[in-house]
Amino acid sequence: MVNVTITRTKTGDDNNIGTPAPASASLLNQIGIPAADENSNSNEQVEPQVQQNIDSLLITASAVRQIHQLALLKRPHDPSQAYLRVYVDAGGCSGFQYKFEIGYLDIVSDGSDGSSEEMDMDMIDPEEDIVINASLSLNENEKDDEDTTKVKVVIDETSLEYLKGSKVDFVRELIKSSFAIVENPQSESACGCGSSFAVKNFGANPALD
């Protein structure tokens, strides 16, 4: 056992006692107290990094997870057939509004004879649409296979001009949970509902048809 003696040094003003210097790490180790790591924070949660092929519109980890869950629900046998379409439409209380829809690469429709047939129809327009492939990067806390966390986000070129630099997020709130556009640098103001916004320099960015 190591005895530690704390000695009080008398100064000119005996009532003015300074804060003692912190014990060194070696001394704390001798008496069985582990030294704290100043660079570590046990309560800090690191958000998984999202990998994507295009960074004009960022997809958050929360959005990737929700798209993946919806894809598994709507297309359990092949989740890769589902994607999230993001676009801007005229309307709303601020002039423009964010829209989100789940689309499918495989479309099922009723045939003329009343039976259901699988139609090989790609609803993504290669000339106007931009496909963002996003996935959560693997780390020690992620247990899903990389393939199961890949999702697609589709946006047309016109809408991207109004959303460039923004983030697609999935926000969970007490009242509702929904997809949302956050941190939009093209937005001058936004409605309290979060789904409508006004565009900066509107004269240079005419309204959508």
Side-chain angles (χ1 to χ4, degrees):
M1 178 179 294
V2 178
N3 295 323
V4 179
T5 302
I6 300 177
T7 304
R8 175 182 173 185
T9 303
K10 185 175 182 180
T11 63
D13 184 359
D14 194 50
N15 293 324
N16 184 13
I17 303 176
T19 303
S24 64
S26 59
L27 177 58
L28 292 174
N29 289 332
Q30 291 181 30
I31 61 178
I33 302 176
D37 185 356
E38 296 179 355
N39 297 323
S40 65
N41 186 353
S42 58
N43 296 325
E44 183 179 357
Q45 295 183 353
V46 179
E47 183 73 4
Q49 293 296 315
V50 175
Q51 306 290 338
Q52 55 186 84
N53 60 328
I54 299 173
D55 59 3
S56 299
L57 183 66
L58 300 178
I59 317 300
T60 68
S62 178
V64 171
R65 293 191 188 98
Q66 184 63 21
I67 298 169
H68 179 56
Q69 290 299 320
L70 290 173
L72 287 174
L73 179 65
K74 300 295 185 179
R75 292 291 188 271
H77 300 296
D78 190 1
S80 64
Q81 296 299 320
Y83 61 89
L84 176 70
R85 176 173 288 278
V86 180
Y87 64 98
V88 173
D89 198 4
C93 49
S94 296
F96 293 89
Q97 50 190 341
Y98 305 119
K99 294 287 189 177
F100 305 91
E101 293 180 357
I102 296 295
Y104 308 98
L105 300 180
D106 57 335
I107 306 298
V108 178
S109 65
D110 293 331
S112 57
D113 57 353
S115 62
S116 296
E117 59 181 5
E118 194 81 8
M119 297 179 61
D120 184 14
M121 182 183 298
D122 187 352
M123 298 300 294
I124 299 177
D125 189 337
E127 296 183 359
E128 296 185 2
D129 290 332
I130 298 171
V131 180
I132 302 174
N133 297 306
S135 63
L136 289 177
S137 60
L138 294 177
N139 58 52
E140 60 183 5
N141 295 322
E142 291 287 340
K143 297 181 180 180
D144 289 344
D145 185 272
E146 183 180 3
D147 292 337
T148 65
T149 57
K150 288 183 177 180
V151 300
K152 290 183 178 68
V153 176
V154 179
I155 183 170
D156 60 272
E157 292 183 353
T158 303
S159 295
L160 183 59
E161 292 299 317
Y162 294 86
L163 301 181
K164 189 173 295 183
S166 306
K167 292 181 179 180
V168 178
D169 195 12
F170 185 77
V171 181
R172 291 177 172 82
E173 298 176 340
L174 187 61
I175 300 177
K176 66 174 184 176
S177 298
S178 61
F179 288 105
I181 298 294
V182 297
E183 301 178 18
N184 185 0
Q186 314 303 326
S187 172
E188 184 176 47
S189 61
C191 177
C193 64
S195 62
S196 181
F197 70 103
V199 178
K200 290 180 180 178
N201 301 323
F202 181 77
N205 295 280
L208 298 174
D209 295 332

